[in-house]
Each structure stands twice: as structure tokens, then as C-alpha cells.
Amino acid sequence: MTDATRQPPTPVISPREALEFLNRAASVLAGSLDYDQTLRHVTQLAVPEIADWCAVYISDDGGAGEREITSRHPDPALEELILDIRRRRRERGDASESLRVLETRQPVLVGDVVQWGLADDIRPEERPELGRLAARSYMIVPLIARGRVIGALTLLSTREGRHYTPADLAFAENLAQRFAQAIDNARLYDTADKSLGLLDTLFSTAPVGLAFLDTEQRYVRINAALAAMNGRTVAEHLGRTLEEVLGPFGAELAAIHREVLRSGQPLLEREFTRQDPGDPGETRHIVASYTPVPGLDGRPIGVGVAIVDVTERGKLLEAEHSARLRADFLARAGALLDASLDYEETLANVAQIAVPEISDWCAVSVLGETGDLRQVAAAHVDPAQRALGEELSARFPEDPESPSGTRVVAQTGVMQVVREITEEMLVQGIPDPEQLALVRRLALRSVIIAPLMARGRVFGTLTLANAESGRLFEDVDVQLAEELSHRAGMAIDNARLYTERTRIAHTLQAKLLPERLPEIPGALLAARYRAAGELNEVGGDFYDVFPRSAGEWALVVGDVSGKGAEAAAATALARYTLRAAALDETPPTPPSEALRRLNTTMLVDGASQFATVVVAYVSAGEDGGMRVRLSLGGHPPPLVLRAGGGVDALGTFGSLLGTIEQPRLVDDEVALAPGDVMLLYTDGVTEAGARDRPLGQLGLTELLAGLAGKTPEVIVDAVEQAVVDAQVGEPRDDIALLALAVDAGRPDAGRRG
């Protein structure tokens, strides 16, 4: 038979059967909104009436990726083979008819698979299996829902004589539209159901309070968190109004709800303070947000509420703020306490520290040598009240038998705190009417008495009191007072020790230096002493001037190694040994011999110090000048500023003293003319300045050259200032200066500077 005489192929399903099938399919698909069940229904409906094998390929399963559901071929091996070929073609892309259908939205109809033969991508080992499948015809149509291609429907016929026709393809496209709509509805329902379940879970487990109230301010939904904040169960809220649940506070909230509904605008982060329903004595702080909820027609159907209880967060923030303020206060207090080492000034600083930031009143009391406790400093926000307090202390001293108060704290070292002073406490504790009247005028509300301790002993008390402000001390204030008293105690004790040390140092240094310079006929004298550093009042440098005889005077400048007590002892040894040696004229003692005796004494003493010393004997010379005999024991040479402006170095450098038994010491003799000035100094002068650029002997020489004609007083002042200016901060070493000028105007008179 030719193609011209061949009859048109008969459709697999007739129009009547197609209509009945569509009705049955609609009924089955309408019976479920379960997504997976709907996909299975689609594949099961088509078999066996329309196809012998059916597959639904979904390209994007709600964002979860592709998936494929089939009608399951009776032969598992063939089922696996078919799916493997389809999956392989999709991965390759260009050979996948399903992907082409998705891209082009055009169906595929293959009426006779046998006539088309097997595709080239079929592997040799797969061909026998496909022969067993006996595929006759297949159709692939797109699944289109809401204008979007969601997948493809494949119908395969393996029956002899059942070949799909264009009429079957048209039916399949109609069927695919219904399938796609049912699948997409089920997917949307499944997504919505999951979202609703997630929303329910979020609503019930959210750590914040959530609720929805209708336009009459009745609770429609509320989570357990908000119900607990209100002190009721979820069931006790539903259907009730805000006022029925929360009383007057609910009436206040209802007004806010009505305003949100009226304006259609949200009200966010509104802060409230309310009593805790579970604990009326506890105040809760909440932050609430109110949002209008529109219905399908756009009009509001209620108000959504979100509430956060910020009570604990507020407490933490307040505690953090308080801790930061305390830390700042202690830092400032520390700076003030470190500002001075003067005992009296430190006491006054301690009293001023806490007023008015911590307390209205602060007083410092210190134990005396006899054990009596006396107030030594006080500060008050009101000077009149301070005077009243002083009057109270003077007229009514603290009872030594009292079980409380500053005396007990000073004796025990245990802090006392009276958080609130009541009228009953005053009446019971103060029997004297006049004393009671004065105490009432002070209006004390709260008191802390802390011990002042340092180095394991209590030496006083720090009293903090609140009055005018009405504040009551809390735990944080007690902690702050404890820390403040500890720091104040150390600062006061350090100041006391420093003040005592300074007094001792000044006294000792005064004994190691001449109380005053003697008068030398025909000469002017000036001297300076400067200890290095604030804490080194006792240094190793010294000077001395004393008469050897009626016509000769001894000038001494020395430098003993070390600082402090050991240096002071060595200085005293050197000074008095030199005096004794210089005054001993049996036999006559030149300057070098005085130095040798000092050297021997230091070696016999066994001290580890060494010394440098210059000894100069001066006496009247010719033509109004002066004769100088001197010896240098390891000491810098004296400089002579001549009346004409020249500068000469005097003497021969000798050995250090206290290091060897036979030091090399030389006596030299020079003459000073009227107007000449001889300067004796220690190495703290020449070594002043940067270590790599000290002032040096050359710098000192240049300085003196510019001071010609000046008095010894002006010269030692200028040298001391040059030492200070030569370096940053205080000089590193002690300096001693002794200047003698031959008085050109009065050769027969002596003066001292």
C-alpha cells in the first residue's frame, strides 16, 4: 500500500474516553493537596489507559533541585535503565528531549520508535535491554502552570499497535495543563503549610513576646513568652480584651492600639515601666512595637504586637555604666593621690576626693603616737555643715566605750556600714539632748567608716557620709569605699614616710655641710649643694671651709660614691677625718698628707665606697692676692677665672681615695691675684647633660670665661643653672660648688656668700 492510500492512524484514546479520563483525573487530583501524593497520582492516572510507562520530571522542586517521579515499570531493571538514559541525556543537555521541551515549550511526538531506530547514545550493552522494553511510541509535553514551565510529562507506549497520533498529543497537552495546575497547587500548598508550620514554631518558641489582637483589642493569638510576662496562661488571654487581662495598664495599651488602627502607621520601640505581675515589688522595663495588620481588602484587621523585656539588659547596662564610673573615679582618685608626697597635702586631697561625687561628707582621722584618734582633714559640700560637724566633734568627742564608730574601726580594721540612719537609731544611741539636736541638724542619712591600712597595720579611718543629697549607700558604694580606703591608706602612708624621710634627710644633710660659711679676710665665698633626684636628699657630695690657723684656711670639696645612708656615713667620715688631719701640724700637714690620712682611714674602715677630694689651703699673699696650696685625690681640677677673663685649671691629678694603700698625691702651689675667682666643683657639674654630649670641663671653662667680674654668688648660681639646663629633668648626679674670690676692693676684709 502506498502512502497516498494509507489510512490516517487511529488515536490511542477516543474523544469520549478522553473526556471521561479528564473527569476522573480532575476528581482524583482534587482529592489531595499533598505534593508528593499529587505527583504519584499523575503518573498512576496515565497508566495503563494512556501509556504503559509515565514519568513526571520537575525542573525546580521549590528551590530543592530537579526530581523525577515515574509509574514504575514492572521490570526493575528496565526501570533503572530508562531513568539512567534520561538522566544521562539531561546531564549532557544537547541530547535531552525533556530539557528541549522545557526550553522551547514545544511538545515532542514520536509515533513509531521502531521506525526511528535506536539513538546513537545508546550503549551496546543497553540495546538488548531496550529490545526487551519493546518501545512503540512516546510523547513529551511541557507542564505549564501560571505561565511558568515547571517540568515535563513523558508518556511511553510499549504495546503492539499502540502508536501515538497528533490527536493523542493534543489530548496529552490538555492533560498536562491540568496536571501542571494540580502539581503547582500542591507545591504552593506544601510551601505554605511548611511556612505556616515554621511560623507557628517561631511564634511559640520566640524569646520575645508576640501577639495579634483584633480591632476590638481582643487577643486572637499570643505566645507563651508574652503570656508569661503578663502572669497568665495563653488560654487566659484568648478572646479577652487588654483591659480584662491587664487592668489599668491594659486600658493605656488599648488607646495605643486604637491609634495604630486609626493612623495605619506602626508605633515602634515604645518603652514602658510596669510592676511584675508575679512579683509586685519588682519593676519591669519593656520595649513594645505595634504594627497594623491589613486584610485582603487592605483595611486593618488587627494589630501585631512584639514585646521585649529589657529589665535584665537594663540592669547589666546600669551595672556596666556604674562600673565604668567607678573605674573612672578611681583613676582620677589615683592621679590625685599620686599628685603629692607631702603628708598634709595628701590628707587634704583624700578628704576632697569623694565629695560630692561619692558622698556629701568625707573625713580622715589618724591614730597618734599615744593611740588617740584625731580628725586631720575633712570636706563637705556645705561649709556651714562642715563647721557644724567640727563643733559636734569638739563638744562631744566619741565615746571610747562605744561598740561602733571610728575608734572601733581603727582598732579592729573592720569596715562599718550604716545604710540608713533612722530617727529611732538616733534617739536610742544619743542620750544627750544637745548632742542629739546637733546630730539632727547634720541630717545624716547613710554612713561608711573604712579603715586606712598600709603595710599590714591600721593607722586611721576614712568616713563617708550622705546627708543633703538623701542618697543611701548601696553595695557598689561599699565596694568603692573599700577600694578608695585601700588606695588612700597607701598614699597617706607613703606621704608620711616620704615626709619623715625628707625631714631626716634635711637634718642629716645639714649636719654634713657647714651651717654657714666663715669670713676669710680679703676674700668672698659662695657655695651651692644640690642633691640629684627628689628622693636623694642625702647625697655623696660635700664641701667644707674651716680655719687651719690664724692666717690659713682649708677649702674642701669631695664626692663619695653611693647614695643614702652609706654615702652619708662615708661623707661624715671624710669630712671629719680631713678636718682632723688639716688641723694637725705635728709635723706640718700639707694638703696631700690630709688626703693620705683619709685614704688610710677609708681602707681601715673597710667600707666599699671610694672618694674624690680636693683640699686647698689659702692664705694671704703678696700685693693683696692669696696663696693657694692644693692637692687632688682623683678629683677634677679647680678652675680659676682670672680678673682679665682667662680661665686656668689648677693642680695635678691624683689617685682615687679608698682604693689603694699608696695613692699618688701631689701638692701644687698657685697664686690668686685680686679679682680672681677660684671654683671648686664635683663631677656632677662636668658630667651634666646628654651622656654623649656632657657639659665637660671645656663647657664649664667657656661658661666661666663669660662671667668675668661677677661675684662668687652670681658664678655659683650660673653654674647650677647651666647644670639644670643641660639635661631633661633633674640632674643625674649631686653637685657641690665652692667659689672663693680675692676681694680686689677690700683686701683686709672677708665676706661669705
Side-chain angles (χ1 to χ4, degrees):
M1 181 183 296
T2 65
D3 291 340
T5 60
R6 184 181 298 161
Q7 296 294 323
T10 302
V12 172
I13 186 169
S14 67
R16 182 177 62 79
E17 292 173 331
L19 182 60
E20 291 177 355
F21 180 84
L22 290 176
N23 288 334
R24 289 198 312 275
S27 176
V28 171
L29 294 175
S32 173
L33 280 173
D34 181 270
Y35 186 44
D36 290 332
Q37 188 178 42
T38 299
L39 290 174
R40 288 194 297 272
H41 282 334
V42 167
T43 60
Q44 292 167 359
L45 281 168
V47 178
E49 294 185 53
I50 301 174
D52 299 303
W53 184 84
C54 174
V56 175
Y57 169 69
I58 303 299
S59 62
D60 184 13
D61 187 20
E66 66 177 31
R67 65 187 302 190
E68 189 166 30
I69 304 295
T70 74
S71 60
R72 298 286 179 183
H73 193 279
D75 187 334
L78 288 177
E79 169 78 14
E80 183 178 354
L81 177 60
I82 296 171
L83 292 181
D84 184 58
I85 293 173
R86 289 168 62 84
R87 182 167 51 253
R88 203 163 64 216
R89 289 177 175 176
R90 284 198 299 272
E91 291 173 355
R92 228 178 25 246
D94 56 342
S96 172
E97 292 177 308
S98 296
L99 292 181
R100 278 204 305 275
V101 169
L102 264 63
E103 293 172 359
T104 64
R105 296 192 174 204
Q106 298 300 316
V108 171
L109 170 63
V110 177
D112 189 349
V113 175
V114 177
Q115 181 180 340
W116 281 56
L118 295 176
D120 294 338
D121 64 335
I122 303 301
R123 297 166 182 165
E125 66 272 16
E126 294 172 339
R127 293 175 179 271
E129 291 296 317
L130 287 178
R132 262 190 336 106
L133 179 63
R136 307 298 178 181
S137 181
Y138 65 87
M139 297 183 290
I140 305 175
V141 292
L143 294 170
I144 302 174
R146 298 175 175 84
R148 181 173 64 91
V149 179
I150 64 173
L153 174 67
T154 300
L155 300 172
L156 174 66
S157 170
T158 61
R159 294 186 189 183
E160 179 67 33
R162 184 157 76 172
H163 297 268
Y164 295 122
T165 67
D168 294 315
L169 181 62
F171 167 72
E173 287 183 294
N174 190 348
L175 182 62
Q177 290 181 2
R178 301 198 179 199
F179 282 174
Q181 191 68 38
I183 292 171
D184 201 48
N185 286 344
R187 180 185 61 79
L188 291 175
Y189 179 82
D190 182 66
T191 301
D193 188 58
K194 290 178 180 178
S195 298
L196 184 60
L198 181 62
L199 183 60
D200 285 340
T201 301
L202 177 64
F203 195 86
S204 61
T205 60
V208 300
L210 299 174
F212 172 71
L213 292 90
D214 61 18
T215 55
E216 294 181 353
Q217 290 80 58
R218 293 183 181 276
Y219 287 95
V220 177
R221 288 194 77 176
I222 183 171
N223 69 349
L226 182 52
M229 292 181 197
N230 293 337
R232 300 198 177 199
T233 65
V234 171
E236 289 173 329
H237 286 77
L238 300 179
R240 297 185 178 182
T241 66
L242 284 166
E243 294 183 56
E244 290 173 340
V245 175
L246 302 176
F249 181 61
E252 180 182 349
L253 297 182
I256 295 175
H257 281 238
R258 288 191 292 270
E259 176 59 25
V260 170
L261 291 171
R262 185 197 64 78
S263 66
Q265 299 298 319
L267 179 61
L268 304 177
E269 297 186 355
R270 180 73 175 270
E271 296 185 12
F272 295 99
T273 299
R274 58 177 296 196
Q275 287 185 332
D276 189 336
D279 184 2
E282 179 75 12
T283 299
R284 311 298 298 181
H285 301 278
I286 62 174
V287 175
S289 295
Y290 305 91
T291 306
V293 178
L296 294 178
D297 58 359
R299 288 185 291 187
I301 59 174
V303 175
V305 180
I307 294 180
V308 180
D309 189 324
V310 297
T311 305
E312 298 306 320
R313 183 175 67 184
K315 290 180 179 178
L316 290 175
L317 291 175
E318 184 178 351
E320 180 183 354
H321 179 67
S322 177
R324 188 164 56 251
L325 290 179
R326 293 198 302 275
D328 291 344
F329 168 77
L330 289 174
R332 286 184 278 109
L336 184 59
L337 291 173
D338 293 340
S340 173
L341 279 171
D342 180 84
Y343 184 58
E344 299 294 335
E345 185 177 352
T346 300
L347 289 173
N349 287 344
V350 169
Q352 295 287 345
I353 283 174
V355 177
E357 188 170 352
I358 303 302
S359 64
D360 301 331
W361 192 331
C362 180
V364 178
S365 298
V366 175
L367 286 169
E369 294 182 359
T370 60
D372 60 312
L373 187 68
R374 63 186 183 90
Q375 182 175 300
V376 293
H380 199 288
V381 292
D382 185 351
Q385 290 295 87
R386 177 180 173 180
L388 183 61
E390 292 174 351
E391 178 186 353
L392 179 65
S393 298
R395 291 181 56 189
F396 301 98
E398 188 174 337
D399 182 1
E401 302 300 325
S402 174
S404 62
T406 55
R407 291 182 183 274
V408 175
V409 173
Q411 291 169 358
T412 64
V414 178
M415 177 187 290
Q416 289 187 1
V417 179
V418 182
R419 296 185 183 275
E420 183 173 10
I421 300 175
T422 64
E423 176 65 18
E424 292 135 344
M425 292 169 62
L426 295 178
V427 172
Q428 291 177 4
I430 306 176
D432 189 296
E434 291 188 25
Q435 183 180 5
L436 179 60
L438 283 176
V439 173
R440 282 173 173 164
R441 287 173 58 191
L442 289 176
L444 296 177
R445 293 291 314 280
S446 192
V447 174
I448 297 175
I449 306 174
L452 292 173
M453 303 180 66
R455 298 169 179 87
R457 70 179 185 90
V458 180
F459 64 86
T461 61
L462 176 70
T463 301
L464 304 174
N466 279 331
E468 289 80 2
S469 65
R471 295 177 298 184
L472 300 179
F473 288 124
E474 299 178 356
D475 290 343
V476 292
D477 300 308
V478 175
Q479 296 172 4
L480 186 61
E482 185 174 17
E483 177 65 21
L484 179 60
S485 66
H486 172 71
R487 297 191 182 195
M490 290 300 299
I492 292 173
D493 199 52
N494 287 340
R496 179 189 62 79
L497 292 173
Y498 176 79
T499 301
E500 181 66 17
R501 173 176 175 169
T502 301
R503 184 184 64 79
I504 295 173
H506 281 303
T507 302
L508 179 59
Q509 194 71 61
K511 296 300 181 182
L512 296 178
L513 298 173
E515 293 184 5
R516 60 185 180 85
L517 292 176
E519 293 184 0
I520 299 178
L524 300 174
L525 287 174
R528 288 289 182 275
Y529 176 82
R530 187 185 187 101
E534 187 179 17
L535 297 179
N536 292 321
E537 292 294 340
V538 179
D541 289 13
F542 67 96
Y543 66 88
D544 200 1
V545 181
F546 56 91
R548 295 188 68 241
S549 63
E552 192 171 40
W553 302 79
L555 279 64
V556 178
V557 169
D559 182 1
V560 175
S561 62
K563 299 290 182 185
E566 291 184 356
T571 299
L573 176 68
R575 184 184 179 201
Y576 294 110
T577 299
L578 288 171
R579 278 202 171 213
L583 293 172
D584 185 4
E585 286 291 286
T586 55
T589 308
S592 61
E593 182 59 28
L595 294 178
R596 284 190 178 90
R597 291 190 185 183
L598 174 59
N599 182 73
T600 301
T601 301
M602 293 181 70
L603 291 175
V604 171
D605 184 68
S608 60
Q609 281 93 353
F610 59 86
T612 71
V613 183
V614 55
V615 175
Y617 296 164
V618 297
S619 58
E622 299 178 357
D623 301 326
M626 302 196 79
R627 172 174 171 253
V628 179
R629 294 186 294 157
L630 77 159
S631 183
L632 307 179
H635 203 81
L639 297 179
V640 175
L641 172 60
R642 301 297 181 179
V647 179
D648 298 328
L650 306 181
T652 303
F653 191 79
S655 303
L656 289 172
L657 304 181
T659 58
I660 58 176
E661 293 184 359
Q662 298 296 327
R664 177 179 178 273
L665 298 169
V666 178
D667 289 304
D668 291 293
E669 183 173 334
V670 296
L672 299 180
D676 288 351
V677 179
M678 181 177 66
L679 177 68
L680 284 66
Y681 57 91
T682 56
D683 61 5
V685 175
T686 53
E687 293 178 359
R691 298 188 184 277
D692 58 343
R693 296 192 312 276
L695 178 64
Q697 185 174 329
L698 179 60
L700 180 59
T701 300
E702 293 176 350
L703 173 65
L704 288 178
L707 297 172
K710 302 297 182 181
T711 66
E713 191 74 27
V714 172
I715 289 174
V716 294
D717 280 345
V719 173
E720 181 184 20
Q721 190 61 47
V723 170
V724 173
D725 294 342
Q727 57 197 35
V728 178
E730 292 292 321
R732 292 188 301 270
D733 197 4
D734 309 325
I735 61 172
L737 298 167
L738 181 60
L740 177 144
V742 180
D743 191 346
R746 296 171 51 194
D748 60 340
R751 296 168 63 187
R752 57 187 174 85

